[in-house]
Amino acid sequence: MRPLAWLRPLLPLRASRRLLSSDGSAPRPATGQEESVEVLGRSHPRDDITNVTARILAKVGRNLHNQSQHPLWLIKERIKAHFYSSYMGRWGNPVFSVHDNLSPVVTVEQNFDSLLIPPDHPSRKRGDNYYLNRSTMLRAHTSAHQRELVSSGLDAFLLAGDVYRRDEIDASHYPVFHQMEGVRLFSNHELFSRVRSGSELSLFEEGSRRTAHKQEAHSLEAVKLLEFDLKQTLTRLVLHLFGPDVEVRWVDCYFPFTHPSFEMEVLFQGQWMEVLGCGLMEQQLLISAGAGNKVGWAFGLGLERLAMVLYGIPDIRLFWSQDERFLRQFRVQDVQQPVCFQPLSKYPPLHNDISFWLPEGGAAFDQNDFYELVRSVGGDLVERVTLVDDFQHPQTGRRSHCYRIVYRHMERTLSQQEVGVVHQQIQSSAEAELGVHGRY
């Protein structure tokens, strides 16, 4: 799992670079020619860290999770309905509030510092994130809003939204995806009210040590009850989504903002599959949000991952499709209604290889830079990029990479001629932007 699964430097884009549309037609100017980046009606000044591209900016505001009858909306609504019906307050109102319209533009402080992620943590790398500038970015996880929601006085909430990460290219990875997470806080009375002699117990203890199983501030009784409540809550959710016979197991893991932390895996089609991450919230995070007198748990899951499994969707690019043959399959009367995706016609793939010498003289090369360049030029025509050869010359010590790029349109057959135009653009852009030297 990536460092922020619950949740490589790109050179500045040159003004001369032009991008092809996803169907290989007329080129258009790339973002990078202006002094600022405009997102959702606001301008953000560029600086040396800016690395967001035009194709990514075009996805901001699409909000697939809020489009009625979209598969991601269906998953979100199923989870929301489960929490609404299962957790009711004293007066019959839902315990959990839902927030799914928060802006994906956040500060670096929100995305990292507010979650206690240290300055040298690998998840902050410029090559893994989309930065508008040094202080502002597209959120890499919905947890970026945890502190602000807790600070507003909320004790139980669900949060859904689009998140952005630079990553590899294949059927299960896309630079924009959607997360949903939940947070639940407890006061001393709320956590121990159902325990015999609970009034004598406390959330906190002084002089305690931090161990693999608890934070230094927490009492052992609080940790055990919190962990039980968290796992019981999520087990009920997964049984609701996958059915009563699904097998579940828990795996210890690490997140900077929870301790202890866990991943839940389910046995699906004979294989154990990770479906979410969770844990007991770091007390320092709650203290910084003004809720230091409470303890809490949090979890996060990927909506695409669940939708691909539950509906049998084979390629993550399909979520962005406007093809009516795809969309109409999810127009159901009841969000709980099972859907089994019927594949569209499988159009044939075309593949082309690209080989180049890596930059000399100590210049950095990161594979994520190349993947992002391929996405920027080829868009959703690109199905997969695979490193097929990593060669080092025995005499000169120079290294070269060979990548196989698989092209496939989701709605029609591609011609080798139009793919050739896109592939040539990728070759020339790689040399201009990344300082590599082609071996064509």
Side-chain angles (χ1 to χ4, degrees):
M1 174 175 273
R2 293 181 49 148
L4 291 180
W6 172 29
L7 293 182
R8 310 166 170 123
L10 178 67
L11 299 176
L13 293 171
R14 300 186 181 187
S16 61
R17 178 169 165 191
R18 298 177 66 79
L19 305 180
L20 292 169
S21 68
S22 62
D23 60 2
S25 58
R28 58 188 175 81
T31 303
Q33 301 180 15
E34 305 84 13
E35 293 184 355
S36 62
V37 181
E38 184 166 321
V39 190
L40 300 176
R42 293 192 59 185
S43 293
H44 304 268
R46 289 179 173 272
D47 58 25
D48 58 323
I49 296 298
T50 306
N51 65 356
V52 67
T53 64
R55 287 196 184 277
I56 296 302
L57 292 175
K59 305 291 187 185
V60 179
R62 290 283 299 276
N63 296 328
L64 300 183
H65 63 291
N66 286 337
Q67 293 184 15
S68 180
Q69 306 301 311
H70 190 279
L72 298 180
W73 176 85
L74 288 179
I75 293 291
K76 183 196 73 173
E77 290 299 308
R78 288 185 66 183
I79 296 172
K80 185 170 76 173
H82 169 75
F83 274 90
Y84 274 3
S85 62
S86 301
Y87 303 94
M88 305 295 291
R90 180 182 303 177
W91 310 111
N93 55 307
V95 170
F96 286 83
S97 58
V98 177
H99 309 266
D100 55 15
N101 279 302
L102 297 177
S103 172
V105 179
V106 298
T107 65
V108 172
E109 196 274 341
Q110 283 177 288
N111 198 78
F112 297 118
D113 298 294
S114 76
L115 294 166
L116 312 178
I117 298 171
D120 59 349
H121 197 275
S123 64
R124 291 180 180 252
K125 286 195 304 183
R126 183 169 171 248
D128 284 351
N129 300 284
Y130 290 104
Y131 285 96
L132 304 182
N133 51 45
R134 284 189 171 273
S135 62
T136 315
M137 63 188 297
L138 298 178
R139 64 186 170 207
H141 44 204
T142 50
S143 303
H145 303 284
Q146 268 190 24
R147 188 179 66 184
E148 64 188 272
L149 292 178
V150 171
S151 295
S152 71
L154 295 177
D155 284 346
F157 56 85
L158 300 174
L159 171 62
D162 44 333
V163 298
Y164 300 78
R165 294 187 200 154
R166 300 171 81 226
D167 210 338
E168 57 196 285
I169 302 175
D170 58 33
S172 62
H173 290 85
Y174 201 79
V176 189
F177 56 104
H178 298 75
Q179 285 185 334
M180 192 164 190
E181 68 178 78
V183 168
R184 182 85 187 265
L185 306 185
F186 297 87
S187 66
N188 205 93
H189 172 73
E190 289 168 331
L191 189 62
F192 295 122
S193 61
R194 298 180 183 177
V195 179
R196 181 178 298 178
S197 302
S199 60
E200 300 175 9
L201 300 177
S202 174
L203 299 176
F204 310 107
E205 62 183 21
E206 296 182 4
S208 178
R209 294 185 303 108
R210 188 182 187 93
T211 71
H213 305 291
K214 65 180 290 294
Q215 299 174 39
E216 53 269 43
H218 295 164
S219 69
L220 186 59
E221 294 83 4
V223 170
K224 292 300 182 183
L225 279 177
L226 265 181
E227 183 178 328
F228 174 81
D229 188 83
L230 169 62
K231 290 182 176 180
Q232 183 183 59
T233 299
L234 296 179
T235 299
R236 287 174 176 170
L237 171 63
V238 168
L239 291 175
H240 169 72
L241 294 174
F242 285 85
D245 298 325
V246 68
E247 292 186 49
V248 172
R249 73 179 184 186
W250 297 94
V251 179
D252 293 341
C253 66
Y254 166 78
F255 299 114
F257 33 80
T258 56
H259 181 78
S261 303
F262 315 96
E263 290 173 356
M264 176 196 271
E265 297 181 347
V266 300
L267 188 61
F268 183 78
Q269 297 182 346
Q271 293 187 327
W272 287 103
M273 179 184 68
E274 179 265 317
V275 292
L276 57 84
C278 62
L280 277 54
M281 297 176 70
E282 284 284 356
Q283 197 60 31
Q284 187 58 47
L285 191 158
L286 294 177
I287 292 172
S288 69
N293 62 327
K294 298 179 180 180
V295 294
W297 52 248
F299 73 88
L301 52 82
L303 294 179
E304 278 87 349
R305 162 65 68 88
L306 286 177
M308 291 177 79
V309 171
L310 293 172
Y311 300 144
I313 299 173
D315 193 310
I316 197 170
R317 293 177 297 163
L318 280 165
F319 291 107
W320 297 90
S321 174
Q322 298 296 308
D323 193 323
E324 182 64 18
R325 295 173 300 166
F326 173 75
L327 296 174
R328 70 186 176 207
Q329 297 187 43
F330 301 94
R331 297 193 183 117
V332 295
Q333 295 297 317
D334 182 355
V335 296
Q336 308 297 348
Q337 181 178 327
V339 177
C340 183
F341 172 67
Q342 299 300 312
L344 312 180
S345 299
K346 190 72 170 179
Y347 297 101
L350 294 172
H351 74 265
N352 287 266
D353 292 350
I354 176 172
S355 299
F356 46 74
W357 294 106
L358 303 189
E360 294 187 89
F365 175 83
D366 193 295
Q367 285 182 238
N368 267 13
D369 294 348
F370 179 66
Y371 295 147
E372 186 62 27
L373 183 145
V374 173
R375 284 195 189 279
S376 295
V377 177
D380 286 353
L381 291 184
V382 179
E383 179 176 88
R384 185 172 64 255
V385 178
T386 307
L387 177 65
V388 295
D389 184 61
D390 185 348
F391 168 76
Q392 185 163 18
H393 196 284
Q395 276 78 45
T396 65
R398 294 186 68 188
R399 287 181 64 196
S400 72
H401 280 183
C402 177
Y403 293 89
R404 178 154 298 160
I405 304 177
V406 178
Y407 301 88
R408 191 201 308 259
H409 202 289
M410 304 300 292
E411 300 166 11
R412 64 179 177 83
T413 299
L414 290 172
S415 70
Q416 185 60 58
Q417 181 178 4
E418 62 183 315
V419 165
V421 172
V422 177
H423 198 72
Q424 178 59 47
Q425 181 71 17
I426 290 173
Q427 291 177 341
S428 58
S429 295
E431 292 192 350
E433 304 292 342
L434 304 180
V436 301
H437 301 283
R439 299 181 66 191
Y440 317 132

